[in-house]
PDB file of all heavy atoms in Angstrom:
ATOM      1  N   GLU A 180     -42.976  -4.300 -11.409  1.00  0.00           N
ATOM      2  CA  GLU A 180     -44.029  -4.147 -10.404  1.00  0.00           C
ATOM      3  C   GLU A 180     -43.853  -2.845  -9.617  1.00  0.00           C
ATOM      4  O   GLU A 180     -44.830  -2.131  -9.357  1.00  0.00           O
ATOM      5  CB  GLU A 180     -43.922  -5.352  -9.478  1.00  0.00           C
ATOM      6  CG  GLU A 180     -44.967  -5.405  -8.423  1.00  0.00           C
ATOM      7  CD  GLU A 180     -44.868  -6.719  -7.659  1.00  0.00           C
ATOM      8  OE1 GLU A 180     -44.697  -7.774  -8.300  1.00  0.00           O
ATOM      9  OE2 GLU A 180     -44.945  -6.677  -6.432  1.00  0.00           O
ATOM     10  N   ARG A 191     -53.223   8.198  -9.820  1.00  0.00           N
ATOM     11  CA  ARG A 191     -54.526   8.256  -9.140  1.00  0.00           C
ATOM     12  C   ARG A 191     -54.567   9.419  -8.157  1.00  0.00           C
ATOM     13  O   ARG A 191     -55.571  10.136  -8.070  1.00  0.00           O
ATOM     14  CB  ARG A 191     -54.793   6.947  -8.390  1.00  0.00           C
ATOM     15  CG  ARG A 191     -55.087   5.780  -9.313  1.00  0.00           C
ATOM     16  CD  ARG A 191     -55.851   4.688  -8.560  1.00  0.00           C
ATOM     17  NE  ARG A 191     -55.724   3.386  -9.187  1.00  0.00           N
ATOM     18  CZ  ARG A 191     -56.322   3.030 -10.318  1.00  0.00           C
ATOM     19  NH1 ARG A 191     -57.086   3.892 -10.956  1.00  0.00           N
ATOM     20  NH2 ARG A 191     -56.144   1.832 -10.825  1.00  0.00           N
ATOM     21  N   HIS A 204     -49.773  -8.993 -19.485  1.00  0.00           N
ATOM     22  CA  HIS A 204     -51.064  -9.042 -18.779  1.00  0.00           C
ATOM     23  C   HIS A 204     -50.945  -8.561 -17.347  1.00  0.00           C
ATOM     24  O   HIS A 204     -51.864  -7.974 -16.795  1.00  0.00           O
ATOM     25  CB  HIS A 204     -51.621 -10.460 -18.770  1.00  0.00           C
ATOM     26  CG  HIS A 204     -51.663 -11.089 -20.120  1.00  0.00           C
ATOM     27  ND1 HIS A 204     -50.880 -12.154 -20.486  1.00  0.00           N
ATOM     28  CD2 HIS A 204     -52.387 -10.775 -21.210  1.00  0.00           C
ATOM     29  CE1 HIS A 204     -51.116 -12.491 -21.730  1.00  0.00           C
ATOM     30  NE2 HIS A 204     -52.022 -11.660 -22.208  1.00  0.00           N
ATOM     31  N   GLN A 205     -49.804  -8.853 -16.720  1.00  0.00           N
ATOM     32  CA  GLN A 205     -49.661  -8.456 -15.313  1.00  0.00           C
ATOM     33  C   GLN A 205     -49.583  -6.943 -15.183  1.00  0.00           C
ATOM     34  O   GLN A 205     -49.999  -6.377 -14.179  1.00  0.00           O
ATOM     35  CB  GLN A 205     -48.430  -9.126 -14.690  1.00  0.00           C
ATOM     36  CG  GLN A 205     -48.538 -10.638 -14.754  1.00  0.00           C
ATOM     37  CD  GLN A 205     -47.715 -11.345 -13.698  1.00  0.00           C
ATOM     38  OE1 GLN A 205     -47.689 -10.951 -12.559  1.00  0.00           O
ATOM     39  NE2 GLN A 205     -47.035 -12.402 -14.104  1.00  0.00           N
ATOM     40  N   ALA A 207     -51.075  -4.893 -17.505  1.00  0.00           N
ATOM     41  CA  ALA A 207     -52.428  -4.442 -17.871  1.00  0.00           C
ATOM     42  C   ALA A 207     -53.392  -4.549 -16.693  1.00  0.00           C
ATOM     43  O   ALA A 207     -54.355  -3.787 -16.599  1.00  0.00           O
ATOM     44  CB  ALA A 207     -52.949  -5.260 -19.055  1.00  0.00           C
ATOM     45  N   ALA A 208     -53.107  -5.480 -15.777  1.00  0.00           N
ATOM     46  CA  ALA A 208     -54.011  -5.686 -14.635  1.00  0.00           C
ATOM     47  C   ALA A 208     -53.992  -4.513 -13.650  1.00  0.00           C
ATOM     48  O   ALA A 208     -54.790  -4.472 -12.727  1.00  0.00           O
ATOM     49  CB  ALA A 208     -53.665  -6.995 -13.920  1.00  0.00           C
ATOM     50  N   TYR A 209     -53.083  -3.559 -13.844  1.00  0.00           N
ATOM     51  CA  TYR A 209     -53.087  -2.350 -13.011  1.00  0.00           C
ATOM     52  C   TYR A 209     -54.126  -1.332 -13.500  1.00  0.00           C
ATOM     53  O   TYR A 209     -54.410  -0.362 -12.822  1.00  0.00           O
ATOM     54  CB  TYR A 209     -51.711  -1.679 -13.006  1.00  0.00           C
ATOM     55  CG  TYR A 209     -50.709  -2.346 -12.091  1.00  0.00           C
ATOM     56  CD1 TYR A 209     -49.952  -3.422 -12.523  1.00  0.00           C
ATOM     57  CD2 TYR A 209     -50.521  -1.889 -10.789  1.00  0.00           C
ATOM     58  CE1 TYR A 209     -49.038  -4.040 -11.687  1.00  0.00           C
ATOM     59  CE2 TYR A 209     -49.609  -2.494  -9.948  1.00  0.00           C
ATOM     60  CZ  TYR A 209     -48.865  -3.575 -10.394  1.00  0.00           C
ATOM     61  OH  TYR A 209     -47.965  -4.173  -9.561  1.00  0.00           O
ATOM     62  N   ALA A 210     -54.653  -1.551 -14.702  1.00  0.00           N
ATOM     63  CA  ALA A 210     -55.525  -0.540 -15.319  1.00  0.00           C
ATOM     64  C   ALA A 210     -56.981  -0.670 -14.866  1.00  0.00           C
ATOM     65  O   ALA A 210     -57.387  -1.664 -14.272  1.00  0.00           O
ATOM     66  CB  ALA A 210     -55.453  -0.672 -16.836  1.00  0.00           C
ATOM     67  N   GLU A 213     -59.405  -2.099 -20.262  1.00  0.00           N
ATOM     68  CA  GLU A 213     -58.458  -2.595 -21.254  1.00  0.00           C
ATOM     69  C   GLU A 213     -59.096  -2.551 -22.636  1.00  0.00           C
ATOM     70  O   GLU A 213     -60.248  -2.930 -22.803  1.00  0.00           O
ATOM     71  CB  GLU A 213     -58.084  -4.053 -20.934  1.00  0.00           C
ATOM     72  CG  GLU A 213     -57.065  -4.616 -21.904  1.00  0.00           C
ATOM     73  CD  GLU A 213     -56.952  -6.135 -21.812  1.00  0.00           C
ATOM     74  OE1 GLU A 213     -57.798  -6.770 -21.169  1.00  0.00           O
ATOM     75  OE2 GLU A 213     -56.019  -6.664 -22.427  1.00  0.00           O
ATOM     76  N   ARG A 215     -58.234  -3.900 -26.505  1.00  0.00           N
ATOM     77  CA  ARG A 215     -57.329  -4.805 -27.199  1.00  0.00           C
ATOM     78  C   ARG A 215     -57.318  -4.523 -28.693  1.00  0.00           C
ATOM     79  O   ARG A 215     -58.366  -4.423 -29.321  1.00  0.00           O
ATOM     80  CB  ARG A 215     -57.831  -6.229 -26.960  1.00  0.00           C
ATOM     81  CG  ARG A 215     -56.730  -7.171 -26.712  1.00  0.00           C
ATOM     82  CD  ARG A 215     -57.178  -8.551 -26.359  1.00  0.00           C
ATOM     83  NE  ARG A 215     -56.244  -9.470 -26.981  1.00  0.00           N
ATOM     84  CZ  ARG A 215     -54.961  -9.548 -26.663  1.00  0.00           C
ATOM     85  NH1 ARG A 215     -54.464  -8.774 -25.727  1.00  0.00           N
ATOM     86  NH2 ARG A 215     -54.167 -10.379 -27.279  1.00  0.00           N
ATOM     87  N   ASP A 223     -61.540  -5.800 -28.806  1.00  0.00           N
ATOM     88  CA  ASP A 223     -62.322  -6.079 -27.616  1.00  0.00           C
ATOM     89  C   ASP A 223     -62.026  -5.003 -26.582  1.00  0.00           C
ATOM     90  O   ASP A 223     -60.969  -4.405 -26.586  1.00  0.00           O
ATOM     91  CB  ASP A 223     -61.871  -7.437 -27.065  1.00  0.00           C
ATOM     92  CG  ASP A 223     -62.962  -8.108 -26.252  1.00  0.00           C
ATOM     93  OD1 ASP A 223     -64.088  -7.585 -26.237  1.00  0.00           O
ATOM     94  OD2 ASP A 223     -62.676  -9.139 -25.650  1.00  0.00           O
ATOM     95  N   PHE A 227     -63.006  -2.996 -16.233  1.00  0.00           N
ATOM     96  CA  PHE A 227     -62.734  -3.677 -14.963  1.00  0.00           C
ATOM     97  C   PHE A 227     -63.471  -3.031 -13.799  1.00  0.00           C
ATOM     98  O   PHE A 227     -63.382  -3.504 -12.687  1.00  0.00           O
ATOM     99  CB  PHE A 227     -61.253  -3.607 -14.624  1.00  0.00           C
ATOM    100  CG  PHE A 227     -60.367  -4.356 -15.575  1.00  0.00           C
ATOM    101  CD1 PHE A 227     -59.214  -3.773 -16.062  1.00  0.00           C
ATOM    102  CD2 PHE A 227     -60.673  -5.648 -15.947  1.00  0.00           C
ATOM    103  CE1 PHE A 227     -58.385  -4.463 -16.916  1.00  0.00           C
ATOM    104  CE2 PHE A 227     -59.847  -6.349 -16.798  1.00  0.00           C
ATOM    105  CZ  PHE A 227     -58.697  -5.750 -17.283  1.00  0.00           C
ATOM    106  N   ALA A 230     -65.105  -4.448 -10.646  1.00  0.00           N
ATOM    107  CA  ALA A 230     -64.321  -5.136  -9.626  1.00  0.00           C
ATOM    108  C   ALA A 230     -64.075  -4.274  -8.388  1.00  0.00           C
ATOM    109  O   ALA A 230     -63.829  -4.785  -7.307  1.00  0.00           O
ATOM    110  CB  ALA A 230     -62.979  -5.568 -10.206  1.00  0.00           C
ATOM    111  N   GLN A 231     -64.110  -2.971  -8.556  1.00  0.00           N
ATOM    112  CA  GLN A 231     -63.680  -2.105  -7.447  1.00  0.00           C
ATOM    113  C   GLN A 231     -64.836  -1.698  -6.552  1.00  0.00           C
ATOM    114  O   GLN A 231     -65.823  -1.225  -7.015  1.00  0.00           O
ATOM    115  CB  GLN A 231     -63.004  -0.858  -8.011  1.00  0.00           C
ATOM    116  CG  GLN A 231     -61.610  -1.157  -8.498  1.00  0.00           C
ATOM    117  CD  GLN A 231     -60.585  -1.064  -7.414  1.00  0.00           C
ATOM    118  OE1 GLN A 231     -60.258   0.026  -6.936  1.00  0.00           O
ATOM    119  NE2 GLN A 231     -60.075  -2.197  -6.961  1.00  0.00           N
TER     120      GLN A 231
ATOM    121  N   ARG B 116     -62.306 -15.253 -26.052  1.00  0.00           N
ATOM    122  CA  ARG B 116     -62.363 -13.822 -25.701  1.00  0.00           C
ATOM    123  C   ARG B 116     -63.025 -13.619 -24.340  1.00  0.00           C
ATOM    124  O   ARG B 116     -62.544 -12.863 -23.512  1.00  0.00           O
ATOM    125  CB  ARG B 116     -63.125 -13.028 -26.769  1.00  0.00           C
ATOM    126  CG  ARG B 116     -62.253 -12.514 -27.910  1.00  0.00           C
ATOM    127  CD  ARG B 116     -62.934 -11.368 -28.665  1.00  0.00           C
ATOM    128  NE  ARG B 116     -64.257 -11.733 -29.151  1.00  0.00           N
ATOM    129  CZ  ARG B 116     -64.472 -12.433 -30.267  1.00  0.00           C
ATOM    130  NH1 ARG B 116     -63.458 -12.844 -31.010  1.00  0.00           N
ATOM    131  NH2 ARG B 116     -65.701 -12.721 -30.642  1.00  0.00           N
ATOM    132  N   ARG B 119     -60.789 -14.897 -21.625  1.00  0.00           N
ATOM    133  CA  ARG B 119     -59.697 -13.959 -21.468  1.00  0.00           C
ATOM    134  C   ARG B 119     -60.130 -12.789 -20.576  1.00  0.00           C
ATOM    135  O   ARG B 119     -59.416 -12.371 -19.665  1.00  0.00           O
ATOM    136  CB  ARG B 119     -59.313 -13.450 -22.855  1.00  0.00           C
ATOM    137  CG  ARG B 119     -58.134 -12.596 -22.841  1.00  0.00           C
ATOM    138  CD  ARG B 119     -57.730 -12.080 -24.195  1.00  0.00           C
ATOM    139  NE  ARG B 119     -56.511 -11.360 -23.932  1.00  0.00           N
ATOM    140  CZ  ARG B 119     -56.472 -10.206 -23.319  1.00  0.00           C
ATOM    141  NH1 ARG B 119     -57.580  -9.602 -22.950  1.00  0.00           N
ATOM    142  NH2 ARG B 119     -55.329  -9.625 -23.044  1.00  0.00           N
ATOM    143  N   MET B 123     -58.575 -11.696 -17.021  1.00  0.00           N
ATOM    144  CA  MET B 123     -58.045 -10.344 -16.786  1.00  0.00           C
ATOM    145  C   MET B 123     -58.726  -9.705 -15.572  1.00  0.00           C
ATOM    146  O   MET B 123     -58.093  -9.032 -14.778  1.00  0.00           O
ATOM    147  CB  MET B 123     -58.253  -9.454 -18.018  1.00  0.00           C
ATOM    148  CG  MET B 123     -57.224  -9.617 -19.122  1.00  0.00           C
ATOM    149  SD  MET B 123     -55.492  -9.430 -18.612  1.00  0.00           S
ATOM    150  CE  MET B 123     -55.475  -7.780 -17.919  1.00  0.00           C
ATOM    151  N   GLU B 124     -60.011  -9.925 -15.481  1.00  0.00           N
ATOM    152  CA  GLU B 124     -60.773  -9.388 -14.354  1.00  0.00           C
ATOM    153  C   GLU B 124     -60.223  -9.917 -13.020  1.00  0.00           C
ATOM    154  O   GLU B 124     -60.006  -9.162 -12.069  1.00  0.00           O
ATOM    155  CB  GLU B 124     -62.242  -9.800 -14.524  1.00  0.00           C
ATOM    156  CG  GLU B 124     -63.154  -9.459 -13.381  1.00  0.00           C
ATOM    157  CD  GLU B 124     -63.367  -7.964 -13.237  1.00  0.00           C
ATOM    158  OE1 GLU B 124     -63.625  -7.314 -14.261  1.00  0.00           O
ATOM    159  OE2 GLU B 124     -63.258  -7.472 -12.104  1.00  0.00           O
ATOM    160  N   MET B 126     -57.223 -11.092 -12.531  1.00  0.00           N
ATOM    161  CA  MET B 126     -55.871 -10.553 -12.339  1.00  0.00           C
ATOM    162  C   MET B 126     -55.932  -9.136 -11.788  1.00  0.00           C
ATOM    163  O   MET B 126     -55.118  -8.736 -10.963  1.00  0.00           O
ATOM    164  CB  MET B 126     -55.093 -10.574 -13.656  1.00  0.00           C
ATOM    165  CG  MET B 126     -54.640 -11.972 -14.032  1.00  0.00           C
ATOM    166  SD  MET B 126     -53.646 -12.014 -15.530  1.00  0.00           S
ATOM    167  CE  MET B 126     -52.106 -11.281 -14.980  1.00  0.00           C
ATOM    168  N   ARG B 127     -56.913  -8.408 -12.262  1.00  0.00           N
ATOM    169  CA  ARG B 127     -57.070  -7.044 -11.800  1.00  0.00           C
ATOM    170  C   ARG B 127     -57.460  -7.019 -10.304  1.00  0.00           C
ATOM    171  O   ARG B 127     -56.955  -6.225  -9.535  1.00  0.00           O
ATOM    172  CB  ARG B 127     -58.121  -6.364 -12.680  1.00  0.00           C
ATOM    173  CG  ARG B 127     -58.892  -5.339 -12.026  1.00  0.00           C
ATOM    174  CD  ARG B 127     -58.436  -3.954 -12.439  1.00  0.00           C
ATOM    175  NE  ARG B 127     -59.323  -3.024 -11.801  1.00  0.00           N
ATOM    176  CZ  ARG B 127     -58.920  -1.942 -11.159  1.00  0.00           C
ATOM    177  NH1 ARG B 127     -57.663  -1.627 -11.122  1.00  0.00           N
ATOM    178  NH2 ARG B 127     -59.784  -1.168 -10.592  1.00  0.00           N
ATOM    179  N   THR B 130     -54.410  -7.859  -8.332  1.00  0.00           N
ATOM    180  CA  THR B 130     -53.481  -6.721  -8.325  1.00  0.00           C
ATOM    181  C   THR B 130     -53.948  -5.685  -7.303  1.00  0.00           C
ATOM    182  O   THR B 130     -53.139  -5.104  -6.578  1.00  0.00           O
ATOM    183  CB  THR B 130     -53.387  -6.107  -9.734  1.00  0.00           C
ATOM    184  OG1 THR B 130     -52.955  -7.129 -10.627  1.00  0.00           O
ATOM    185  CG2 THR B 130     -52.389  -4.956  -9.779  1.00  0.00           C
ATOM    186  N   ALA B 131     -55.277  -5.473  -7.219  1.00  0.00           N
ATOM    187  CA  ALA B 131     -55.810  -4.536  -6.229  1.00  0.00           C
ATOM    188  C   ALA B 131     -55.505  -5.040  -4.812  1.00  0.00           C
ATOM    189  O   ALA B 131     -55.132  -4.260  -3.933  1.00  0.00           O
ATOM    190  CB  ALA B 131     -57.313  -4.348  -6.432  1.00  0.00           C
ATOM    191  N   LYS B 133     -52.967  -6.954  -3.876  1.00  0.00           N
ATOM    192  CA  LYS B 133     -51.553  -6.879  -3.503  1.00  0.00           C
ATOM    193  C   LYS B 133     -51.031  -5.445  -3.429  1.00  0.00           C
ATOM    194  O   LYS B 133     -50.019  -5.209  -2.792  1.00  0.00           O
ATOM    195  CB  LYS B 133     -50.698  -7.744  -4.428  1.00  0.00           C
ATOM    196  CG  LYS B 133     -50.346  -7.137  -5.756  1.00  0.00           C
ATOM    197  CD  LYS B 133     -49.277  -7.965  -6.446  1.00  0.00           C
ATOM    198  CE  LYS B 133     -48.860  -7.274  -7.713  1.00  0.00           C
ATOM    199  NZ  LYS B 133     -47.782  -7.952  -8.422  1.00  0.00           N
ATOM    200  N   THR B 134     -51.715  -4.499  -4.075  1.00  0.00           N
ATOM    201  CA  THR B 134     -51.225  -3.117  -4.002  1.00  0.00           C
ATOM    202  C   THR B 134     -51.948  -2.314  -2.921  1.00  0.00           C
ATOM    203  O   THR B 134     -51.662  -1.130  -2.750  1.00  0.00           O
ATOM    204  CB  THR B 134     -51.378  -2.395  -5.356  1.00  0.00           C
ATOM    205  OG1 THR B 134     -52.720  -2.546  -5.815  1.00  0.00           O
ATOM    206  CG2 THR B 134     -50.431  -2.946  -6.403  1.00  0.00           C
ATOM    207  N   ASP B 147     -49.123 -12.877  -6.145  1.00  0.00           N
ATOM    208  CA  ASP B 147     -48.192 -12.994  -7.274  1.00  0.00           C
ATOM    209  C   ASP B 147     -48.209 -14.391  -7.869  1.00  0.00           C
ATOM    210  O   ASP B 147     -48.122 -14.564  -9.087  1.00  0.00           O
ATOM    211  CB  ASP B 147     -46.756 -12.687  -6.819  1.00  0.00           C
ATOM    212  CG  ASP B 147     -46.470 -11.192  -6.861  1.00  0.00           C
ATOM    213  OD1 ASP B 147     -47.256 -10.453  -7.483  1.00  0.00           O
ATOM    214  OD2 ASP B 147     -45.467 -10.778  -6.255  1.00  0.00           O
ATOM    215  N   ASP B 154     -51.544 -15.482 -15.776  1.00  0.00           N
ATOM    216  CA  ASP B 154     -50.783 -14.910 -16.883  1.00  0.00           C
ATOM    217  C   ASP B 154     -50.376 -16.011 -17.868  1.00  0.00           C
ATOM    218  O   ASP B 154     -50.495 -15.846 -19.090  1.00  0.00           O
ATOM    219  CB  ASP B 154     -49.547 -14.205 -16.299  1.00  0.00           C
ATOM    220  CG  ASP B 154     -48.773 -13.423 -17.340  1.00  0.00           C
ATOM    221  OD1 ASP B 154     -49.322 -13.176 -18.433  1.00  0.00           O
ATOM    222  OD2 ASP B 154     -47.624 -13.043 -17.057  1.00  0.00           O
ATOM    223  N   LEU B 157     -53.306 -16.979 -19.871  1.00  0.00           N
ATOM    224  CA  LEU B 157     -53.623 -15.940 -20.848  1.00  0.00           C
ATOM    225  C   LEU B 157     -52.704 -15.989 -22.055  1.00  0.00           C
ATOM    226  O   LEU B 157     -53.147 -15.837 -23.191  1.00  0.00           O
ATOM    227  CB  LEU B 157     -53.523 -14.562 -20.198  1.00  0.00           C
ATOM    228  CG  LEU B 157     -54.790 -14.111 -19.493  1.00  0.00           C
ATOM    229  CD1 LEU B 157     -54.514 -12.881 -18.650  1.00  0.00           C
ATOM    230  CD2 LEU B 157     -55.869 -13.786 -20.520  1.00  0.00           C
ATOM    231  N   ARG B 158     -51.413 -16.207 -21.786  1.00  0.00           N
ATOM    232  CA  ARG B 158     -50.478 -16.288 -22.914  1.00  0.00           C
ATOM    233  C   ARG B 158     -50.824 -17.489 -23.788  1.00  0.00           C
ATOM    234  O   ARG B 158     -50.783 -17.419 -25.010  1.00  0.00           O
ATOM    235  CB  ARG B 158     -49.035 -16.346 -22.406  1.00  0.00           C
ATOM    236  CG  ARG B 158     -48.504 -14.948 -22.133  1.00  0.00           C
ATOM    237  CD  ARG B 158     -47.078 -14.965 -21.671  1.00  0.00           C
ATOM    238  NE  ARG B 158     -47.020 -15.274 -20.262  1.00  0.00           N
ATOM    239  CZ  ARG B 158     -46.074 -15.987 -19.679  1.00  0.00           C
ATOM    240  NH1 ARG B 158     -45.105 -16.496 -20.406  1.00  0.00           N
ATOM    241  NH2 ARG B 158     -46.105 -16.207 -18.391  1.00  0.00           N
ATOM    242  N   THR B 161     -53.846 -16.607 -25.869  1.00  0.00           N
ATOM    243  CA  THR B 161     -53.523 -15.695 -26.964  1.00  0.00           C
ATOM    244  C   THR B 161     -52.952 -16.460 -28.154  1.00  0.00           C
ATOM    245  O   THR B 161     -53.397 -16.269 -29.290  1.00  0.00           O
ATOM    246  CB  THR B 161     -52.504 -14.624 -26.499  1.00  0.00           C
ATOM    247  OG1 THR B 161     -53.041 -13.984 -25.352  1.00  0.00           O
ATOM    248  CG2 THR B 161     -52.248 -13.589 -27.584  1.00  0.00           C
TER     249      THR B 161
END
Side-chain angles (χ1 to χ4, degrees):
Chain A
E180 183 174 316
R191 289 202 202 287
H204 309 112
Q205 300 204 43
Y209 281 86
E213 182 194 12
R215 221 175 143 64
D223 205 7
F227 294 134
Q231 284 274 289
Chain B
R116 271 199 305 279
R119 186 180 184 287
M123 278 306 302
E124 174 68 47
M126 285 183 72
R127 149 104 176 134
T130 302
K133 81 168 185 177
T134 51
D147 274 345
D154 187 15
L157 274 169
R158 276 182 279 145
T161 305

